[in-house]
Amino acid sequence: MDQFIYVLVLLAFVFSALSLVSWRRTRREIAERTQAEARIRLAAAHAETLARVAARLNAQLDLDTLLAAATEETARALNTPASAVSLYDDKQRVLVYAATFGLPPESFRGASPLPRSLYDQLVQRREVLIVLPDAQAHTNMPENGMHKALNVRTILAAAMMKGGQLIGSLDALTLGQTRYFSSDEISLLQEIAGQAAQAVANARLFSESLLRMENLVALYSSAQKLTQGLNLQELAEDVVRTSVNAFNVQLAWLGRAEPNGRVRSLAHFPVHVRHPSQINVRWDDAPQGQGPSGRAIRSGFPVVIANLNEEAETMLWRTALVQGFQTSAAFPLISRARPFGVLNLNSDQAGFFTPDRVQFLQSYVNQAAAALENARLLEEAERNAGEFSVLYETANDLALERDLPKLLQAIVERARQLLNATSSSIFLYNPARNDLELVVEKNLGLQAGARMQIGEGFVGRVAKTGQPMIVENYR
């Protein structure tokens, strides 16, 4: 009997142990199944988020709209109150804030760019990720003061990479308190950053293609206008107006290279900008000829000043800087392999004159130069024909005049009309006195009989040298 009871107890113990093992196994399986289901739901949620983000970002071709969507979706996906995106400027080697979400629009305006060297130090071995548990503790960062003002605490930043090139940085921000981001959340941000990088690259490519198309249309339209005009002044005004309205520069002025080394302004646009009238530009080796316009005329090649701040002292660009211009480019006007003028363009955008844009603008300038030279030749031919006609009529009239005072009066009047001058006069040489005597004048304001010594004044110098003289400014 005792043995039977022992067997029953033993069997009960075995059954209990087996039940406990089965219960533990079942519990573990349930836990594993629950965890698997949670991972599946999380993966499904992430996949849904990524699909939603991809659909929204890929539908945007306007860069500003795209960046606004990227920051909004980032904050939504990671459940953060704020987010930001920076774009990398390869020329300056800095990251510049481009858009934010959950923060005042002006919060990052004027913020100091983040140097690429500092960004790389923050990334370190993570390759594409920055985690700042408390941004306010990083006093060496340019944005530290801004982070404190906005109470930004934890920053999770993922690099936006495309083809191994840095496009920018997508940041999830917490405000007021720090936060721990899980590995799944980090992976999600990296995926969104990858999508944003691709979308930004597409938007930039679209923008460049659109700009190229607009430029080609503008080039064709302006070329049509240039072939229709034959008035030199009207053509010059059309060239500068087209440069501003069609090619997105803020100031254009066109000058002609004079034989005396000066560059005479023919037209500028907008007309209310005073800068072209405030500078003295030359194309010779004088100090005023060392600017982009003078160098472009001398060399026959475009000259770009990428940063006017660096050239202000040596090239007298202070007035340009005051009016907000940041960069300037000068394009020589060339005819028969000889520069005869310059088109100077100014922009308020740093880095505006890229090599591709310079090449495109030079194509337009070449067309403008041909049209301007044709107009100049036509005006010169018409002027020469008019001069020959007047000279022929004058010679006939003078040949018939026998009265000397009337003859001299007719000469000064015809000379004034022929040269479109306001006044004219004749001095005759008096051998007895060895000086010059004013015998007739028109609108000069001097009395007949006034005398001038040989070599005195420009009249006396002309008499002494026997050579004509031009005085640019008689004051």
mmCIF file of all heavy atoms in Angstrom, residues 102-120:
data_model
loop_
_atom_site.group_PDB
_atom_site.id
_atom_site.type_symbol
_atom_site.label_atom_id
_atom_site.label_comp_id
_atom_site.label_asym_id
_atom_site.label_seq_id
_atom_site.Cartn_x
_atom_site.Cartn_y
_atom_site.Cartn_z
ATOM 1 N N GLY A 102 7.815 73.400 -36.181
ATOM 2 C CA GLY A 102 7.586 73.481 -34.747
ATOM 3 C C GLY A 102 8.349 74.583 -34.057
ATOM 4 O O GLY A 102 8.337 74.663 -32.826
ATOM 5 N N LEU A 103 8.999 75.422 -34.826
ATOM 6 C CA LEU A 103 9.757 76.544 -34.287
ATOM 7 C C LEU A 103 9.342 77.817 -35.031
ATOM 8 O O LEU A 103 8.860 77.742 -36.165
ATOM 9 C CB LEU A 103 11.264 76.319 -34.444
ATOM 10 C CG LEU A 103 11.862 75.145 -33.665
ATOM 11 C CD1 LEU A 103 13.288 74.884 -34.116
ATOM 12 C CD2 LEU A 103 11.818 75.413 -32.165
ATOM 13 N N PRO A 104 9.525 78.986 -34.425
ATOM 14 C CA PRO A 104 9.181 80.232 -35.130
ATOM 15 C C PRO A 104 9.938 80.327 -36.451
ATOM 16 O O PRO A 104 11.108 79.940 -36.534
ATOM 17 C CB PRO A 104 9.631 81.321 -34.150
ATOM 18 C CG PRO A 104 9.622 80.662 -32.812
ATOM 19 C CD PRO A 104 9.992 79.237 -33.048
ATOM 20 N N PRO A 105 9.297 80.814 -37.511
ATOM 21 C CA PRO A 105 9.945 80.879 -38.836
ATOM 22 C C PRO A 105 11.262 81.638 -38.814
ATOM 23 O O PRO A 105 12.181 81.319 -39.572
ATOM 24 C CB PRO A 105 8.906 81.597 -39.701
ATOM 25 C CG PRO A 105 7.604 81.364 -39.010
ATOM 26 C CD PRO A 105 7.919 81.320 -37.550
ATOM 27 N N GLU A 106 11.364 82.644 -37.950
ATOM 28 C CA GLU A 106 12.583 83.449 -37.923
ATOM 29 C C GLU A 106 13.629 82.888 -36.971
ATOM 30 O O GLU A 106 14.693 83.481 -36.795
ATOM 31 C CB GLU A 106 12.250 84.885 -37.507
ATOM 32 C CG GLU A 106 11.797 85.043 -36.055
ATOM 33 C CD GLU A 106 10.340 84.680 -35.834
ATOM 34 O OE1 GLU A 106 9.675 84.274 -36.827
ATOM 35 O OE2 GLU A 106 9.867 84.793 -34.698
ATOM 36 N N SER A 107 13.369 81.727 -36.358
ATOM 37 C CA SER A 107 14.253 81.216 -35.308
ATOM 38 C C SER A 107 15.662 80.925 -35.805
ATOM 39 O O SER A 107 16.645 81.159 -35.099
ATOM 40 C CB SER A 107 13.655 79.957 -34.679
ATOM 41 O OG SER A 107 13.382 78.988 -35.686
ATOM 42 N N PHE A 108 15.780 80.412 -37.028
ATOM 43 C CA PHE A 108 17.102 80.064 -37.552
ATOM 44 C C PHE A 108 17.609 81.084 -38.562
ATOM 45 O O PHE A 108 18.653 80.880 -39.167
ATOM 46 C CB PHE A 108 17.063 78.677 -38.204
ATOM 47 C CG PHE A 108 17.006 77.550 -37.205
ATOM 48 C CD1 PHE A 108 15.791 77.021 -36.818
ATOM 49 C CD2 PHE A 108 18.152 77.045 -36.656
ATOM 50 C CE1 PHE A 108 15.721 75.996 -35.900
ATOM 51 C CE2 PHE A 108 18.105 76.017 -35.732
ATOM 52 C CZ PHE A 108 16.879 75.486 -35.349
ATOM 53 N N ARG A 109 16.836 82.168 -38.744
ATOM 54 C CA ARG A 109 17.277 83.200 -39.673
ATOM 55 C C ARG A 109 18.503 83.911 -39.111
ATOM 56 O O ARG A 109 18.487 84.413 -38.001
ATOM 57 C CB ARG A 109 16.137 84.196 -39.903
ATOM 58 C CG ARG A 109 16.304 85.059 -41.133
ATOM 59 C CD ARG A 109 15.019 85.808 -41.407
ATOM 60 N NE ARG A 109 13.912 84.884 -41.682
ATOM 61 C CZ ARG A 109 12.641 85.200 -41.536
ATOM 62 N NH1 ARG A 109 12.300 86.393 -41.087
ATOM 63 N NH2 ARG A 109 11.698 84.324 -41.812
ATOM 64 N N GLY A 110 19.545 83.945 -39.874
ATOM 65 C CA GLY A 110 20.784 84.572 -39.411
ATOM 66 C C GLY A 110 21.648 83.665 -38.567
ATOM 67 O O GLY A 110 22.668 84.100 -38.028
ATOM 68 N N ALA A 111 21.245 82.387 -38.416
ATOM 69 C CA ALA A 111 22.055 81.452 -37.625
ATOM 70 C C ALA A 111 23.392 81.201 -38.318
ATOM 71 O O ALA A 111 23.481 81.157 -39.551
ATOM 72 C CB ALA A 111 21.308 80.137 -37.441
ATOM 73 N N SER A 112 24.435 81.028 -37.522
ATOM 74 C CA SER A 112 25.764 80.776 -38.077
ATOM 75 C C SER A 112 25.799 79.404 -38.743
ATOM 76 O O SER A 112 25.307 78.426 -38.178
ATOM 77 C CB SER A 112 26.818 80.829 -36.972
ATOM 78 O OG SER A 112 26.837 82.107 -36.358
ATOM 79 N N PRO A 113 26.346 79.306 -39.961
ATOM 80 C CA PRO A 113 26.446 77.997 -40.619
ATOM 81 C C PRO A 113 27.349 77.065 -39.823
ATOM 82 O O PRO A 113 28.243 77.505 -39.090
ATOM 83 C CB PRO A 113 27.057 78.332 -41.982
ATOM 84 C CG PRO A 113 26.830 79.797 -42.173
ATOM 85 C CD PRO A 113 26.861 80.396 -40.802
ATOM 86 N N LEU A 114 27.112 75.773 -39.966
ATOM 87 C CA LEU A 114 27.937 74.764 -39.281
ATOM 88 C C LEU A 114 29.054 74.335 -40.221
ATOM 89 O O LEU A 114 28.788 73.761 -41.288
ATOM 90 C CB LEU A 114 27.077 73.565 -38.891
ATOM 91 C CG LEU A 114 27.805 72.430 -38.160
ATOM 92 C CD1 LEU A 114 28.290 72.910 -36.792
ATOM 93 C CD2 LEU A 114 26.892 71.221 -38.003
ATOM 94 N N PRO A 115 30.313 74.586 -39.878
ATOM 95 C CA PRO A 115 31.417 74.175 -40.756
ATOM 96 C C PRO A 115 31.434 72.667 -40.955
ATOM 97 O O PRO A 115 31.115 71.899 -40.041
ATOM 98 C CB PRO A 115 32.668 74.650 -40.003
ATOM 99 C CG PRO A 115 32.173 75.722 -39.084
ATOM 100 C CD PRO A 115 30.782 75.321 -38.696
ATOM 101 N N ARG A 116 31.818 72.242 -42.140
ATOM 102 C CA ARG A 116 31.870 70.807 -42.441
ATOM 103 C C ARG A 116 32.855 70.099 -41.512
ATOM 104 O O ARG A 116 32.617 68.959 -41.092
ATOM 105 C CB ARG A 116 32.286 70.606 -43.909
ATOM 106 C CG ARG A 116 32.501 69.148 -44.320
ATOM 107 C CD ARG A 116 31.216 68.359 -44.288
ATOM 108 N NE ARG A 116 31.411 66.945 -44.543
ATOM 109 C CZ ARG A 116 31.368 66.393 -45.754
ATOM 110 N NH1 ARG A 116 31.158 67.140 -46.816
ATOM 111 N NH2 ARG A 116 31.523 65.098 -45.899
ATOM 112 N N SER A 117 33.944 70.769 -41.161
ATOM 113 C CA SER A 117 34.942 70.143 -40.284
ATOM 114 C C SER A 117 34.346 69.811 -38.917
ATOM 115 O O SER A 117 34.578 68.729 -38.371
ATOM 116 C CB SER A 117 36.146 71.067 -40.119
ATOM 117 O OG SER A 117 35.739 72.336 -39.610
ATOM 118 N N LEU A 118 33.549 70.737 -38.368
ATOM 119 C CA LEU A 118 32.914 70.490 -37.069
ATOM 120 C C LEU A 118 31.842 69.420 -37.200
ATOM 121 O O LEU A 118 31.684 68.577 -36.308
ATOM 122 C CB LEU A 118 32.318 71.783 -36.523
ATOM 123 C CG LEU A 118 31.606 71.697 -35.164
ATOM 124 C CD1 LEU A 118 32.539 71.109 -34.109
ATOM 125 C CD2 LEU A 118 31.100 73.064 -34.730
ATOM 126 N N TYR A 119 31.123 69.436 -38.303
ATOM 127 C CA TYR A 119 30.099 68.414 -38.535
ATOM 128 C C TYR A 119 30.738 67.026 -38.562
ATOM 129 O O TYR A 119 30.226 66.080 -37.964
ATOM 130 C CB TYR A 119 29.376 68.704 -39.844
ATOM 131 C CG TYR A 119 28.302 67.689 -40.205
ATOM 132 C CD1 TYR A 119 27.028 67.789 -39.670
ATOM 133 C CD2 TYR A 119 28.565 66.652 -41.083
ATOM 134 C CE1 TYR A 119 26.048 66.876 -39.997
ATOM 135 C CE2 TYR A 119 27.591 65.728 -41.418
ATOM 136 C CZ TYR A 119 26.333 65.846 -40.869
ATOM 137 O OH TYR A 119 25.364 64.928 -41.196
ATOM 138 N N ASP A 120 31.868 66.909 -39.258
ATOM 139 C CA ASP A 120 32.560 65.615 -39.324
ATOM 140 C C ASP A 120 33.037 65.167 -37.947
ATOM 141 O O ASP A 120 33.036 63.971 -37.641
ATOM 142 C CB ASP A 120 33.738 65.702 -40.293
ATOM 143 C CG ASP A 120 33.281 65.854 -41.735
ATOM 144 O OD1 ASP A 120 32.121 65.511 -42.018
ATOM 145 O OD2 ASP A 120 34.079 66.329 -42.561
#
